Amino acid sequence: MTLRARIALLTTGLLLVALLVLGVVLHGLLGNFLLGSLKRDLVEASAQVVRLLNLGGQALLEAGLPADLYAEIQLVLEEDPALLAREGGISLQRSPALGAHRLLLSQEAYRALLDRGEVWTEVALPREGPPLVLLVYGRKVEVRVGGTPWKGLLLVGRPVEGVRATLAQFARLYAATALLVLLLVFLLLRPLLARALEPLEWVAAKARTLVGPEGALPRRIEPLPEPLVQDEVGSLVRALNGMLLRLQKALEAQVRFLQDASHELRTPLTAILGHVGYLLRRTPLTEAQRESLEVVKREAERMGKLVSDLLELSQTGSWRLEPAPLRLLDLLEEAQEEFSKSFEGEIRVEASPDLWVLGDRDRLHQVFANLLSNALKAGAKTVWLRAFGVEGRVVVRVEDDGEGIPEEHLPHLFERFYRVDKARDRARGGSGLGLAIVKAILEAHGGEIWVESEVGKGTAFSFTLPSAAPPPPPP
Ligand SMILES: Nc1ncnc2c1ncn2[C@@H]1O[C@H](COP(=O)(O)OP(=O)(O)O)[C@@H](O)[C@H]1O
Ligand SMILES: [Mg+2]
């Protein structure tokens, strides 16, 4: 999961929890408020009834109370909650809202009322459909019947339907609003997060371009431009730049070491070769001595080649290419001519004369020389040098019918010092640096190289070069 998706999910989740908590709290507060005012209402109504009773009037409930108040006055002759719950006290008066119904409390409610003098409870009045639920306030009162005071109970109730409906309506509205808010936040969050995380992706993209194809580090590592804001991205870039600087230093030290070592090795090698040459040419030698000196000479020459290859490779990246439009056919024929002398087989050139490439003549010659000498070393009888243009580029193929390369070696062929058969290739005078140099040269030209091969059939190296327009003819 991407960081962006995770942040979006987390934020939306947190918001959901916050909205839920807020909803529950608001629902509770609203419920309390509504029930509270209903209770105040009932207490007031009961006080009014008591006032009317004290006035001593008889038909008071009909006259003095709001029509939608459910109220009943019950006379209690025997304080037995079970009996009361079954039959109620003797009903003295009932408000019109009750109609034929009676307000009968539960046994516990009657007991509490008788014990404590007042009670809050709920009563369900039967009617069509679901029963009507009333919130009922009961209190003890004194009623006078024929001048004698009796113990009575006053019950007043109001439907809680309204409160419940209001609460349900609130819950529905709140849920809808919360969902809308969530959706909006989720939709807005994505582009906002994308904007916020843009610098990170930019850093990643920059870091990716630093590392060349196949993870090869370029010679020069440029530090990333530091963002102006002092935020996390800024400190990431600074940390990355510190690392890059150290990497660059290590790289430079490595190149310097390689160059120094190659230079230092050259001097003794030249001396060895000079003296061996002198001994071989100018001094009387026994056959055994001559043979030994020939070996010394051959090995010193090979080492000389190795050293110059190393030097060459260490300079990749600092090469000064001098690209110019070159007729590819000329390059191929030049290589053909040079190698035909040292080769019994045949080198065939197949390329159109109007293929032009943009390249450095000497470096490209080095490429052909390396590929051709590899083909010869592989025992090729025929080598084909072919070229054709494709989409603004020129593809060159060097094909041979030599021994071929086993498949498992193909991915490593362009690595430094990689040889298919160490002992055999060493004996053939190889260092394993040739193809690494070829690849570096071609990449410096903006091209790429790949290989196909089959054991026993032959090998084909193909590479691309940028094509060029032919230079204008001289006036
Ligand atoms: N045309 C080819 N046919 C068969 N094997 C090849 C060919 N080109 C290269 N190779 C193998 O790839 C290895 C690496 O080549 P290269 O980098 O030029 O090193 P070397 O210095 O050995 O020539 C060689 O040792 C050889 O075994
Ligand atoms: Mg080679």
Side-chain angles (χ1 to χ4, degrees):
M1 203 195 285
T2 59
L3 184 61
R4 201 189 312 172
R6 249 181 299 164
I7 295 181
L9 223 65
L10 200 72
T11 314
T12 323
L14 279 179
L15 187 62
L16 179 69
V17 171
L19 285 174
L20 272 178
V21 170
L22 184 68
V24 168
V25 169
L26 282 182
H27 191 268
L29 285 178
L30 184 63
N32 270 345
F33 171 76
L34 291 176
L35 273 181
S37 72
L38 190 63
K39 281 183 172 175
R40 268 195 307 281
D41 199 21
L42 286 175
V43 170
E44 205 162 289
S46 76
Q48 202 177 345
V49 173
V50 172
R51 266 199 309 278
L52 290 173
L53 274 178
N54 288 340
L55 284 178
Q58 272 296 331
L60 0 119
L61 290 189
E62 287 89 343
L65 287 179
D68 62 341
L69 186 77
Y70 293 74
E72 181 173 346
I73 298 173
Q74 299 175 0
L75 196 64
V76 180
L77 297 179
E78 193 183 339
E79 292 193 8
D80 176 3
L83 181 74
L84 284 172
R86 224 176 311 127
E87 294 171 4
I90 297 160
S91 176
L92 285 183
Q93 303 221 9
R94 260 178 288 169
S95 69
L98 269 175
H101 292 300
R102 296 209 46 198
L103 268 182
L104 290 188
L105 309 188
S106 67
Q107 192 174 325
E108 294 80 52
Y110 271 118
R111 184 173 298 129
L113 178 51
L114 290 173
D115 288 351
R116 294 203 299 267
E118 62 174 7
V119 76
W120 286 100
T121 184
E122 279 187 2
V123 170
L125 279 189
R127 62 167 176 185
E128 265 177 53
L132 178 70
V133 179
L134 301 176
L135 178 69
V136 173
Y137 174 58
R139 61 182 281 189
K140 279 187 184 164
V141 287
E142 197 172 82
V143 280
R144 289 177 175 278
V145 180
T148 330
W150 289 90
K151 219 175 253 176
L153 299 176
L154 167 63
L155 307 174
V156 285
R158 273 192 188 284
V160 288
E161 264 177 351
V163 171
R164 296 210 169 139
T166 308
L167 282 177
Q169 179 71 357
F170 167 79
R172 271 195 300 276
L173 275 178
Y174 184 86
T177 316
L179 271 183
L180 207 70
V181 167
L182 270 182
L183 193 73
L184 218 68
V185 164
F186 189 71
L187 287 182
L188 281 181
L189 211 55
R190 290 164 52 110
L192 283 180
L193 277 176
R195 286 256 319 257
L197 292 180
E198 219 166 59
L200 271 187
E201 307 210 340
W202 172 82
V203 171
K206 276 278 175 205
R208 262 198 301 276
T209 56
L210 279 182
V211 178
E214 287 161 40
L217 278 174
R219 271 310 141 102
R220 258 227 76 74
I221 301 176
E222 297 298 334
L224 301 172
E226 287 190 14
L228 292 176
V229 274
Q230 298 284 325
D231 60 359
E232 289 85 343
V233 176
S235 75
L236 174 67
V237 169
R238 271 189 293 283
L240 218 57
N241 276 346
M243 201 185 72
L244 290 177
L245 194 70
R246 250 172 286 160
L247 208 62
Q248 171 71 17
K249 287 214 174 106
L251 219 59
E252 280 167 5
Q254 189 194 343
V255 169
R256 224 173 13 249
F257 169 76
L258 213 57
Q259 286 173 347
D260 291 351
S262 317
H263 275 301
E264 290 305 315
L265 284 171
R266 251 198 194 160
T267 325
L269 274 175
T270 319
I272 290 171
L273 276 172
H275 282 273
V276 169
Y278 169 79
L279 286 176
L280 282 171
R281 273 181 277 119
R282 298 289 162 91
T283 51
L285 294 169
T286 65
E287 200 47 39
Q289 284 171 331
R290 173 166 297 279
E291 260 173 40
S292 287
L293 280 176
E294 292 285 356
V295 172
V296 171
K297 184 170 176 242
R298 206 170 53 235
E299 291 298 318
E301 276 168 355
R302 178 186 299 171
M303 195 159 163
K305 167 106 175 32
L306 182 69
V307 167
S308 54
D309 277 357
L310 269 180
L311 195 61
E312 178 81 35
L313 257 187
S314 73
Q315 284 159 350
T316 32
S318 54
W319 279 333
R320 287 271 231 57
L321 288 186
E322 281 163 23
L326 304 169
R327 190 202 296 275
L328 194 64
L329 191 61
D330 295 345
L331 286 178
L332 299 181
E333 282 173 345
E334 209 172 281
Q336 177 190 35
E337 204 180 301
E338 183 186 330
F339 275 81
S340 291
K341 289 181 209 125
S342 55
F343 180 40
E344 314 85 75
E346 195 187 354
I347 299 178
R348 292 192 195 167
V349 172
E350 294 173 18
S352 145
D354 41 50
L355 278 178
W356 289 75
V357 296
L358 195 66
D360 182 306
R361 177 175 284 269
D362 291 339
R363 295 284 174 203
L364 290 184
H365 182 75
Q366 221 176 335
V367 167
F368 287 114
N370 264 316
L371 293 178
L372 277 172
S373 80
N374 279 352
L376 304 195
K377 279 192 280 184
K381 294 278 167 293
T382 317
V383 182
W384 291 265
L385 297 177
R386 295 195 171 106
F388 44 92
V390 197
E391 291 170 3
R393 298 196 298 178
V394 173
V395 177
V396 185
R397 271 173 86 82
V398 179
E399 265 176 77
D400 67 57
D401 56 359
E403 63 200 4
I405 306 166
E407 204 182 329
E408 68 268 23
H409 295 289
L410 293 181
H412 308 290
L413 228 47
F414 298 98
E415 291 168 9
R416 295 169 183 189
F417 292 111
Y418 193 85
R419 281 167 293 190
V420 169
D421 181 333
K422 265 212 164 16
R424 183 201 66 188
D425 292 327
R426 235 182 84 77
R428 288 175 179 173
S431 63
L433 289 174
L435 286 175
I437 295 174
V438 164
K439 184 170 187 237
I441 292 176
L442 290 172
E443 279 176 358
H445 277 83
E448 47 187 329
I449 180 166
W450 63 99
V451 58
E452 298 142 84
S453 186
E454 200 174 318
V455 176
K457 286 221 169 131
T459 306
F461 285 91
S462 315
F463 57 88
T464 57
L465 284 172
S467 58

